């Protein structure tokens, strides 16, 4: 199992649990990799969509970005048209679409293909 996290400098960290992890409270996650400065400012949310092999991120730099998860090669960067921060993202697996909300209350439905 992997856990993705962001930091205040716009980097993504990947941590991995051991193969014997079974929801125990004392499980230790080990640092696996870091991808530096994907955003100019701190990352608000990282969303992994394993079924599509995509990673989505939003940041205080007012951008939504997505990457191919295996290679972590950036595919798209989308600036917020309202010039404010995105506040949350979620994946609709049935429709294959990304939902994004911003601090002005707008909701975006994005077909990533």
């Amino acid at each position: 199992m992997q856990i993705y996290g962001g930091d205040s400098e716009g980097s993504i960290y990947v941590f991995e649990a051991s193969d014997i992890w079974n929801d125990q409270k004392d499980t230790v996650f080990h640092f696996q990799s870091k991808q530096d400065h994907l955003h100019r400012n701190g990352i608000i949310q990282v969303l992994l969509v394993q079924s599509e092999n995509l990673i989505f991120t939003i940041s205080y730099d007012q951008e939504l970005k997505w990457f191919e998860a295996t290679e972590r090669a950036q595919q798209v960067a989308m600036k917020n048209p309202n010039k404010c921060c995105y506040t949350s993202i979620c994946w609709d697996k049935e429709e294959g679409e990304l939902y994004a909300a911003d601090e002005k209350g707008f909701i975006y439905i994005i077909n990533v293909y």
Side-chain angles (χ1 to χ4, degrees), residues 74-93:
Q74 180 178 326
Q75 293 184 347
V76 176
M78 188 174 106
K79 282 205 144 301
N80 190 308
N82 292 306
K83 298 183 179 12
C84 64
C85 288
Y86 292 101
T87 55
S88 64
I89 50 178
C90 69
W91 181 256
D92 182 343
K93 64 181 177 181

Side-chain angles (χ1 to χ4, degrees), residues 37-56:
H37 307 294
L38 297 174
H39 287 273
R40 289 185 319 256
N41 293 324
I43 292 178
I44 297 169
Q45 184 178 351
V46 178
L47 175 66
L48 171 64
V49 180
Q50 287 183 328
S51 62
E52 304 298 322
N53 198 35
L54 294 172
I55 299 171
F56 298 94

